[in-house]
Every structure is written in C-alpha cells, then in structure tokens.
Amino acid sequence: MFEPKRLARLKWACRRGMLELDVLLLPFVEAAFDSLTFEQQEIFERLLTCDDPDLFAWFMGHQKCDDPELADMVSRILNRVKV
C-alpha cells in the first residue's frame, strides 16, 4: 500500500496537460488503484513517467506500447474507466 504522501504525489502526476489523459488517469486512481497489487501500483506509477504524446497514442490506440507491463496497465485502465 502506498503511503499517503506517495499517493498524493501519484494523484498529482495524473493531472496531465491533455484532457483525454486526465479523464482516464485520475478516475482510475480513485476507483481502482487500491485494488491493484503493489507490483501493479508500481507499474502504474512507472506509466505516469511516460511522455504525454506516448500515453495519448497508447490510450487512443494509435500505437502499441512495446513494454508488456505498461501495455497491460493501459488495457486495464481502458477496461476500468468508461468514457
């Protein structure tokens, strides 16, 4: 489980410069983050270190993420958050 400070930083990192990403990431954290395993939570945290254009391309289906762990997390988020 993430400590409160780390979770607050994670939520802040979900605030991106693109509305399309904002409506996916923060609702996912609020609704599903606690149900992830610690390893999955760390993968999500790593996903947030990626550049916005890459995230946008992956979430919109324009490109496939080469990292299987990140690709699985993208899929998990898309399946969980209905927009």
Side-chain angles (χ1 to χ4, degrees), residues 5-81:
K5 249 185 173 176
R6 189 174 179 187
L7 186 57
R9 281 193 307 268
L10 184 81
K11 286 182 179 182
W12 181 258
C14 288
R15 298 175 50 148
R16 312 303 282 211
M18 303 174 107
L19 178 62
E20 296 87 350
L21 297 177
D22 291 347
V23 299
L24 290 170
L25 297 173
L26 191 56
F28 178 79
V29 167
E30 292 174 346
F33 189 76
D34 288 339
S35 67
L36 298 175
T37 66
F38 185 74
E39 291 79 17
Q40 291 169 330
Q41 290 176 345
E42 289 188 325
I43 292 168
F44 181 82
E45 188 175 38
R46 188 163 54 94
L47 180 72
L48 295 179
T49 67
C50 297
D51 293 330
D52 285 357
D54 291 331
L55 291 173
F56 180 80
W58 299 337
F59 281 113
M60 298 304 136
H62 300 297
Q63 292 178 353
K64 186 175 183 315
C65 178
D66 293 333
D67 182 312
E69 290 178 334
L70 295 180
D72 179 63
M73 186 56 61
V74 167
S75 177
R76 183 179 304 276
I77 292 168
L78 289 172
N79 287 332
R80 177 69 183 199
V81 177

